[in-house]
């Protein structure tokens, strides 16, 4: 009876919203109001513990924290998870949602509902979470609370009085939010007497103590010192320390069903812990694992190589530790003629790729080279074989191919009506087809396009922000693979193909892209003592060429007058030397050259 009462006092909830709608600031206010953090430790973006998050003002990782709050004379335990808002980190959001019973849906009173608001809301509804709508930033001069409230009512079919007006900056509405969390979000359900089932929703690597796994207990109880088993790997460990996730870790003797906590069991090998796995006890094991999360589907692939090939093993170790902290990163070893040994990595988008590269450099002191990003394709041979292609160098000879398919996505773009023309022009130029348009209000429209994923990988998001003056919001979801006409574009330096610069492109874009890429590389590759021919080719056909001219010494400077044959003899001698040098000379390719394809329009 005691435990049943305790479980009724637990609330697990997350904060979901579009990027820059004030989630982290609201989390800061909730922590201050409940006394989870004292004034001395208060700072902006308190839960964002990476320097990178604070510098960019975005949340990259979900962050779980426990608060205690007294309501109507009774103590409640509130477990809050602050989630990212960017489309590239939606896997973090889906894992956080699986550990909660309710969600605060934050909408900016000035910007209104945006694409990722809708996307994250659907994720929460799929898991049957109780949604509490919160209208944030009502203190802004440009806020339109009544207009945005109508948008929220249309979206989630709630009543006008259900929407809480708040300002995370000034602290307005924080008490009403906490009251709504306690009154409206259901308490977790579970059986304390059943065998232990705890689902891991996140993990981090601690240099001194090994891997810390964060979990939510669905059924049963876990005690300190107990022998536990991770069901996906069948590995057994001792629960050296368990506890609650407060601002600092708070060790406890036991945790029961409905609670969220962490476990440290001295695991040093990163491959032994999988996010989505179930922890159970060895003495009374559960018969089946908790249904975890859907497998992550990478959208963008790129090669990551160490600058010094001797650092390959160190890079492998860094990738393992990083994957613990970011389960949406996938990688497999590969080798390149130009760059040696490295990894083929799968990312959820371009920002995700940029963040991983920066984290490798900051957290693990790894200087890496990232190759041209691309998406995965399916190729069907005349013999009826289906091949999955993640890397342009795996592209088979076109003579044996029957057909090729590329991934298509459904893109949702919400923008002001003033920018419909430029947005549609941009999407059509990227081979998009409009499938729907809905007026959300008199001056806001939602456009739905179906377009190839390969076209949005590079610079689509930046261009969309430019043509809409920052007003458009963008979200996408994969739909299917469709037949396409692709060509493998090779870049040759002095006749030798550089596999790291190869790309798979649509046939209609190949000539333009090849020409632009050669021109860009001409700017980036430093001049040598010999001419460097930069060529782009499709198969054996050269489609464009640029030449980086050699640095030349004026060998005729000392010839004052005299017979012309003297000068000619010296120039011929120099010419032979340059030719010999070109045969043995290596061209150093700078790091910027590998990502030059991303900035072709700059």
């Amino acid at each position: 009876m005691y435990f049943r009462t305790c479980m009724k006092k637990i609330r697990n909830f997350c904060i979901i919203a579009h990027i820059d709608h004030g989630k982290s600031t609201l989390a800061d206010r909730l922590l201050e109001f409940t006394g989870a953090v004292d004034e001395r430790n208060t700072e902006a973006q308190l839960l964002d513990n990476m320097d990178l998050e604070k510098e960019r003002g975005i949340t990259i990782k979900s962050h779980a924290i426990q608060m205690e709050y007294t309501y109507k004379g009774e103590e409640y335990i509130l477990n809050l998870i602050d989630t990212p808002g960017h489309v590239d980190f939606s896997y973090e959001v889906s894992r956080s949602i699986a550990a909660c019973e309710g969600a605060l849906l934050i909408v900016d009173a000035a910007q209104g509902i945006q694409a990722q608001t809708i996307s994250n809301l659907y994720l929460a509804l799929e898991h049957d979470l109780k949604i509490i709508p919160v209208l944030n930033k009502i203190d802004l001069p440009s806020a339109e609370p009544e207009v945005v409230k109508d948008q929220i009512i249309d979206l989630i079919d709630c009543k006008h009085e259900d929407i809480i007006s708040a300002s995370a900056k000034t602290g307005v509405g924080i008490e009403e939010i906490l009251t709504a969390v306690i009154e409206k979000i259901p308490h977790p359900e579970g059986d304390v007497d059943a065998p232990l089932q705890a689902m891991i929703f996140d993990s981090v690597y601690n240099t001194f103590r090994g891997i810390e796994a964060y979990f939510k207990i669905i059924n049963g109880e876990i005690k300190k010192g107990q022998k536990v088993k991770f069901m996906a790997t069948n590995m057994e460990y001792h629960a050296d320390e368990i506890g609650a996730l407060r601002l600092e870790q708070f060790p406890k003797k036991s945790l029961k069903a409905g609670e969220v906590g962490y476990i440290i069991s001295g695991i040093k090998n990163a491959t032994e812990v999988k996010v989505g796995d179930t922890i159970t006890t060895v003495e009374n094991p559960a018969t089946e694992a908790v249904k975890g999360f859907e497998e992550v589907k990478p959208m963008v692939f790129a090669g990551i190589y160490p600058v010094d090939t001797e650092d390959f093993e160190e890079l492998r170790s860094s990738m393992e530790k990083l994957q613990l902290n970011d389960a949406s990163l996938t990688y497999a070893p590969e080798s390149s003629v130009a760059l040696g040994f490295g990894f083929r990595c799968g990312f959820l988008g371009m920002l995700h790729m940029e963040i991983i590269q920066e984290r490798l450099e900051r957290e693990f002191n790894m200087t890496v080279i990232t190759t041209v990003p691309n998406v995965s394709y399916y190729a069907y041979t005349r013999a009826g074989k289906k091949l999955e292609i993640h890397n342009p160098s795996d592209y088979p000879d076109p003579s044996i191919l029957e057909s090729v398919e590329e991934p298509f996505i459904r893109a949702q773009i919400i923008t002001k009506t003033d920018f419909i023309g430029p947005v549609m022009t941009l999407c059509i130029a990227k081979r998009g087809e409009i499938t729907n348009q809905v007026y959300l209000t008199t001056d806001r429209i939602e456009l739905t396009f179906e377009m190839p994923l390969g076209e949005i990988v590079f610079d689509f998001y930046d261009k969309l922000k430019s043509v809409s003056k920052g007003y458009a919001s963008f979200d996408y979801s994969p739909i299917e693979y469709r037949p396409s006409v692709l060509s493998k574009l090779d870049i040759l330096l002095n006749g030798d193909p550089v596999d790291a610069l190869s790309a798979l492109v649509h046939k209609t874009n190949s000539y333009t892209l090849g020409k632009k890429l050669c021109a860009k590389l001409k700017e980036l590759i430093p001049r040598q003592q010999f001419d460097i021919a930069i060529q782009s080719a499709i198969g054996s056909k050269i489609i464009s060429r640029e030449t980086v001219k050699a640095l030349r010494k004026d060998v005729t400077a000392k010839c004052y007058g005299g017979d012309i044959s003297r000068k000619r003899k010296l120039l011929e001698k120099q010419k032979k030397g340059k030719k010999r040098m070109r045969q043995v000379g290596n061209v150093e390719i700078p790091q910027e050259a590998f990502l030059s394809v991303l900035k072709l329009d700059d």
Side-chain angles (χ1 to χ4, degrees):
M1 186 64 204
Y2 166 73
F3 174 70
R4 182 57 60 190
T5 315
C6 277
M7 195 189 275
K8 286 186 175 172
K9 297 287 166 41
I10 298 173
R11 300 289 182 273
N12 300 319
F13 68 101
C14 59
I15 302 181
I16 55 174
H18 187 83
I19 191 168
D20 199 31
H21 278 211
K23 296 178 297 302
S24 297
T25 314
L26 184 71
D28 291 349
R29 293 296 85 75
L30 289 169
L31 293 174
E32 285 170 21
F33 195 87
T34 55
V37 56
D38 54 32
E39 279 184 38
R40 196 174 42 155
N41 294 324
T42 301
E43 56 177 288
Q45 284 178 268
L46 190 69
L47 292 182
D48 293 347
N49 48 21
M50 269 188 249
D51 291 341
L52 206 52
E53 291 179 308
K54 293 190 174 171
E55 281 169 28
R56 289 175 176 244
I58 59 172
T59 302
I60 294 166
K61 280 285 302 162
S62 295
H63 301 279
I65 192 163
Q66 190 179 92
M67 304 177 285
E68 288 175 356
Y69 183 61
T70 306
Y71 176 66
K72 291 186 177 175
E74 294 190 36
E75 286 279 341
Y76 287 85
I77 291 173
L78 311 178
N79 291 310
L80 155 71
I81 304 179
D82 178 24
T83 65
H86 197 281
V87 62
D88 279 16
F89 306 113
S90 55
Y91 191 62
E92 288 284 327
V93 183
S94 71
R95 298 202 333 259
S96 307
I97 282 170
C100 298
E101 283 80 36
L104 296 178
L105 179 72
I106 313 295
V107 182
D108 188 322
Q111 297 180 67
I113 285 169
Q114 293 190 283
Q116 200 60 26
T117 315
I118 299 168
S119 178
N120 288 342
L121 171 68
Y122 288 158
L123 271 177
L125 291 174
E126 275 173 35
H127 287 77
D128 295 327
L129 263 61
K130 172 69 185 171
I131 306 293
I132 298 174
V134 177
L135 186 68
N136 195 19
K137 303 192 184 182
I138 56 165
D139 57 311
L140 290 181
S142 56
E144 298 177 308
E146 294 310 311
V147 174
V148 180
K149 275 185 181 179
D150 290 340
Q151 290 177 22
I152 296 171
I153 291 165
D154 288 343
L155 180 66
I156 61 171
D157 197 23
C158 63
K159 296 190 180 121
H160 199 276
E161 57 271 19
D162 291 342
I163 303 167
I164 302 168
S165 296
S167 166
K169 190 177 175 185
T170 59
V172 173
I174 301 300
E175 194 170 352
E176 288 88 334
I177 291 170
L178 288 166
T179 303
V181 164
I182 290 165
E183 289 184 349
K184 294 181 180 177
I185 292 177
H187 61 77
E189 297 287 341
D191 182 0
V192 71
D193 300 318
L196 174 68
Q197 286 177 306
M199 181 180 65
I200 300 173
F201 66 87
D202 205 354
S203 57
V204 293
Y205 186 81
N206 183 319
T207 316
F208 305 105
R209 308 190 68 185
I211 292 157
E212 300 169 5
Y214 299 162
F215 58 80
K216 180 194 175 185
I217 303 179
I218 311 297
N219 290 309
E221 178 182 10
I222 185 170
K223 294 176 181 168
K224 184 183 175 180
Q226 215 169 14
K227 208 170 182 191
V228 293
K229 183 169 89 169
F230 286 51
M231 293 181 83
T233 56
N234 270 329
M235 304 287 276
E236 296 179 4
Y237 309 97
H238 283 281
D240 299 336
E241 182 178 309
I242 58 167
L245 294 159
R246 297 194 183 165
L247 205 55
E248 302 289 332
Q249 287 176 341
F250 186 73
K252 285 187 160 187
K253 291 273 192 335
S254 73
L255 291 168
K256 297 180 173 129
E259 292 192 81
V260 172
Y262 69 91
I263 179 170
I264 299 173
S265 43
I267 306 170
K268 291 283 189 255
N269 189 346
T271 55
E272 290 174 28
V273 176
K274 288 182 169 55
V275 168
D277 192 5
T278 303
I279 304 173
T280 189
T281 55
V282 173
E283 60 197 24
N284 183 18
T287 49
E288 57 182 51
V290 180
K291 188 178 175 293
F293 324 103
E294 57 190 73
E295 280 296 305
V296 60
K297 297 185 189 78
M299 294 286 200
V300 176
F301 295 87
I304 288 186
Y305 294 84
V307 169
D308 188 342
T309 47
E310 290 175 6
D311 294 337
F312 175 70
E313 284 304 325
E314 200 180 325
L315 178 61
R316 184 199 293 275
S317 165
S318 304
M319 295 291 269
E320 282 177 1
K321 289 169 188 171
L322 196 54
Q323 192 184 38
L324 262 183
N325 199 243
D326 184 350
S328 53
L329 169 68
T330 60
Y331 65 92
E334 73 163 4
S335 61
S336 153
V337 178
L339 301 171
F341 291 102
F343 293 96
R344 192 82 194 154
C345 303
F347 308 97
L348 296 184
M350 289 298 289
L351 177 65
H352 187 212
M353 181 180 116
E354 205 180 310
I355 294 295
I356 292 293
Q357 187 180 344
E358 212 159 321
R359 286 185 70 185
L360 280 170
E361 289 178 5
R362 285 181 184 220
E363 295 172 29
F364 303 100
N365 293 322
M366 291 298 309
T367 313
V368 293
I369 290 173
T370 311
T371 64
V372 176
N374 63 283
V375 299
S376 60
Y377 300 92
Y378 289 136
Y380 297 88
T381 63
R382 294 187 192 278
K385 202 173 169 188
K386 181 182 177 183
L387 307 170
E388 191 169 347
I389 299 161
H390 297 312
N391 191 338
S393 58
D394 298 337
Y395 192 67
D397 185 343
S399 62
I400 66 160
L401 284 181
E402 182 69 44
S403 63
V404 180
E405 291 182 348
E406 66 176 328
F408 269 68
I409 53 149
R410 181 173 290 111
Q412 274 181 309
I413 297 167
I414 296 176
T415 185
K416 289 200 164 187
T417 46
D418 312 6
F419 306 114
I420 295 176
V423 168
M424 287 181 84
T425 307
L426 172 66
C427 292
I428 291 162
K430 297 282 186 184
R431 296 191 284 135
E433 287 179 16
I434 189 159
T435 56
N436 196 14
Q437 59 180 54
V438 179
Y439 279 87
L440 301 172
T441 63
T442 50
D443 67 338
R444 283 168 69 78
I445 188 167
E446 180 186 357
L447 302 167
T448 308
F449 287 89
E450 288 184 1
M451 56 206 298
L453 178 63
E455 293 285 346
I456 69 154
V457 162
F458 298 139
D459 54 359
F460 178 77
Y461 192 63
D462 292 342
K463 282 187 175 174
L464 180 66
K465 286 290 181 189
S466 300
V467 299
S468 65
K469 297 184 181 170
Y471 279 106
S473 66
F474 171 66
D475 182 38
Y476 63 86
S477 55
I479 41 177
E480 61 187 350
Y481 278 75
R482 294 181 186 173
S484 185
V485 187
L486 295 177
S487 301
K488 182 187 173 193
L489 182 71
D490 285 314
I491 299 296
L492 312 171
L493 292 182
N494 283 345
D496 296 325
V498 181
D499 57 350
L501 285 171
S502 298
L504 287 174
V505 292
H506 195 263
K507 216 161 197 169
T508 54
N509 297 342
S510 55
Y511 175 73
T512 321
L513 187 70
K515 198 169 166 48
K516 281 183 179 176
L517 201 47
C518 285
K520 193 78 179 177
L521 288 171
K522 185 184 176 183
E523 292 171 25
L524 293 169
I525 292 176
R527 289 172 72 187
Q528 312 281 334
Q529 294 288 336
F530 50 90
D531 283 2
I532 303 168
I534 304 167
Q535 296 166 306
S536 59
I538 291 175
S540 57
K541 185 183 176 187
I542 303 293
I543 56 173
S544 68
R545 171 180 170 137
E546 295 283 350
T547 306
V548 179
K549 299 306 274 181
L551 290 165
R552 286 182 64 229
K553 180 183 175 186
D554 188 358
V555 290
T556 61
K558 60 182 177 286
C559 296
Y560 293 103
D563 190 359
I564 187 68
S565 61
R566 278 186 68 203
K567 290 187 179 180
R568 199 165 287 144
K569 193 176 168 187
L570 286 167
L571 289 168
E572 281 299 318
K573 190 180 173 187
Q574 185 190 38
K575 194 174 173 184
K576 281 178 187 168
K578 295 281 182 197
K579 190 177 177 184
R580 198 163 54 247
M581 200 184 281
R582 190 161 96 190
Q583 286 166 352
V584 296
N586 279 331
V587 182
E588 284 291 319
I589 307 172
Q591 157 70 6
E592 308 89 76
F594 294 104
L595 292 177
S596 58
V597 72
L598 307 185
K599 305 183 177 76
L600 289 180
D601 294 329
D602 289 2

